[in-house]
Amino acid sequence: MTTLRFDLIQTVALAAVVLFAGYGVRRRVGVLDRFNIPAPVIGGFLFAAAALALRQLGILALEFDTLLQSPLMVAFFTTIGLGASLGLLKKGGPQVGLFWLLASVLAVAQNVVGLGLATVLGVDPLLGLISGSITMTGGHGTGAAFGKLMEDQYGFTGAVTLAMAAATFGLVSGGLIGGPVGTRLMSVFNLRSTDSAPVPLSGMAEHASLDEEIDTEPAGDAPTAYSLLQTLALILACMALGGVLSGWLGRLVTLPGYIGAMLVAAIARNLADATGALRIQGRTVDDLGTVALSLFLTMALMTLKLWELFELAVPMMVILTAQVAMVAGFTYWVTFRVMGRDYDAAVMSSGHCGFALGATPNAVANMGALVERFGPAPRAFLVLPMVGAFFIDFSNAIIITTFINLVR
């Protein structure tokens, strides 16, 4: 069988083409747009499926130089750190901190359920973590990052492929259960909006997630060449210092490569906020993070070895089905009650379904569908996107790392 090899530049160039092919497909297939399936996932999966067909038919095998994949991943998580501002947490008030705590507790519960079922089913506990908060709360970006860690450091074959499949399952499931959970709460507790202000649905998720699509113009001042260079220099400096920190921490515990950079970036952000020495532009950070994530995800997905899914597909589906049921129960019985047992809490519970199963844009879509029918929920649209954009990825990375060190 003939093997076609792509060098580093050719691999990145192909990833860019596959990424925009994903955008094209998403615009033409309504169901993909409805469930907020990211363009890198669409393009990457389609390319991987075509590569699998060529391989199985004995026509052609493809090999890629993915050397830039890890730096792109670290750059993305560095931008997560640069978004972790304590000032934003204070501005959002106690409800933001409370919801962040709830989201983190649910992430822990997802890993406990995943590990428990993996033990019962007799499969590798790492599969339980992949089917836990790595992909459920973390989504495709976190799934690809930790999947690569499991393949490289623990020899868990097919971890990235399994993570991408799990994250996609969660994304669709979160969109399906959010509406029914919220509507049921409205009906049982006879809840209606008490806010008469109009809801700007087009702008309510201004910073919903660094995973969000980039084919629409975001809010905020357009970045200039100077601000792009300044922010890029800051990201690179955090990555460099973070590499040193990760090397030192790695002697004590097992850590993904990006943790050090994310911690250094968070410290830099809060020092900048406290001293005023440097103005970090949120939109520029988001733009650079989205570019890094889009290329990283596309490269990760288009190089998937889909044949590695077959052996573990059934146990993974059992775990994922249990995760969806748990999220529905948690948001209905816990999120609603802790967040106030009122209309906004019900809307937030609906959003939490999408949020805890893969993506903040899904959460915003769930909440948007409810407010269009029942009325505005301004508190919900302040709290949930803020936690999704700036805080949960930070705490989830620490939770995941803790569980990996417990099972290994």
Side-chain angles (χ1 to χ4, degrees):
M1 182 168 54
T2 304
T3 299
L4 181 61
R5 294 177 174 84
F6 293 80
D7 65 21
L8 186 147
I9 299 298
Q10 292 167 339
T11 299
V12 177
L14 181 60
V17 172
V18 170
L19 170 63
F20 281 94
Y23 280 118
V25 172
R26 203 182 77 131
R27 289 193 185 100
R28 288 164 177 78
V29 182
V31 68
L32 299 176
D33 189 52
R34 177 186 172 193
F35 288 113
N36 298 296
I37 306 298
V41 175
I42 298 168
F45 261 128
L46 290 176
F47 186 90
L52 173 63
L54 291 173
R55 177 190 175 89
Q56 295 300 99
L57 292 172
I59 298 173
L60 184 67
L62 302 177
E63 290 185 3
F64 301 96
D65 184 343
T66 57
L67 184 64
L68 280 179
Q69 195 170 314
S70 291
L72 287 169
M73 175 191 70
V74 176
F76 164 65
F77 281 99
T78 303
T79 64
I80 292 290
L82 288 174
S85 169
L86 293 176
L88 283 174
L89 185 60
K90 293 176 183 176
K91 187 182 295 185
Q95 284 263 310
V96 172
L98 187 59
F99 186 73
W100 185 19
L101 177 62
L102 269 180
S104 299
V105 168
L106 181 53
V108 171
Q110 287 173 332
N111 290 325
V112 171
V113 168
L115 285 175
L117 286 175
T119 301
V120 171
L121 295 169
V123 296
D124 194 315
L126 292 177
L127 178 64
L129 293 181
I130 285 174
S131 304
S133 76
I134 288 178
T135 55
M136 298 295 95
T137 293
H140 289 88
T142 305
F146 277 95
K148 183 168 173 47
L149 172 76
M150 291 176 181
E151 289 184 347
D152 293 346
Q153 293 194 23
Y154 300 118
F156 185 27
T157 303
V160 174
T161 306
L162 291 163
M164 295 302 96
T168 303
F169 180 91
L171 208 61
V172 173
S173 300
L176 289 174
I177 70 170
V181 167
T183 303
R184 173 70 177 170
L185 287 168
M186 304 285 184
S187 174
V188 170
F189 294 95
N190 193 27
L191 301 171
R192 291 295 182 273
S193 174
T194 57
D195 196 307
S196 59
V199 181
L201 288 175
S202 62
M204 58 180 55
E206 176 180 333
H207 296 293
S209 172
L210 291 176
D211 305 276
E212 65 194 6
E213 296 300 350
I214 57 174
D215 53 351
T216 55
E217 184 71 10
D221 296 332
T224 63
Y226 180 81
S227 67
L228 281 168
L229 282 170
Q230 182 187 60
T231 306
L232 181 60
L234 178 61
I235 290 171
L236 291 171
C238 290
M239 290 171 64
L241 293 173
V244 176
L245 179 60
S246 289
W248 181 75
L249 291 175
R251 300 173 187 173
L252 307 174
V253 292
T254 299
L255 292 171
Y258 66 77
I259 286 290
M262 190 169 71
L263 289 173
V264 170
I267 293 169
R269 170 60 190 264
N270 287 284
L271 283 175
D273 289 350
T275 63
L278 178 66
R279 180 171 174 258
I280 297 176
Q281 297 186 7
R283 175 174 170 180
T284 306
V285 171
D286 286 358
D287 285 347
L288 290 173
T290 302
V291 169
L293 177 64
S294 297
L295 289 173
F296 162 66
L297 258 186
T298 305
M299 290 173 67
L301 282 152
M302 75 183 198
T303 57
L304 289 180
K305 300 172 182 176
L306 292 178
W307 56 90
E308 295 172 345
L309 271 175
F310 302 148
E311 183 180 348
L312 294 173
V314 173
M316 186 174 75
M317 284 300 299
V318 172
I319 298 172
L320 293 176
T321 302
Q323 296 285 14
V324 172
M326 184 191 68
V327 167
F330 187 97
T331 54
Y332 187 91
W333 295 106
V334 180
T335 303
F336 174 67
R337 285 155 178 79
V338 172
M339 298 309 296
R341 296 175 61 95
D342 56 9
Y343 174 75
D344 277 85
V347 174
M348 218 177 299
S349 297
S350 173
H352 199 185
C353 291
F355 178 93
L357 290 171
T360 306
N362 251 26
V364 173
N366 286 350
M367 296 193 299
L370 288 179
V371 301
E372 285 178 350
R373 178 178 177 185
F374 296 105
R379 178 162 52 89
F381 282 102
L382 168 68
V383 170
L384 193 146
M386 188 175 288
V387 173
F390 300 113
F391 300 114
I392 189 58
D393 283 325
F394 198 89
S395 57
N396 190 35
I398 295 171
I399 291 166
I400 295 165
T401 301
T402 302
F403 272 91
I404 287 177
N405 281 278
L406 287 176
V407 302
R408 281 291 186 265

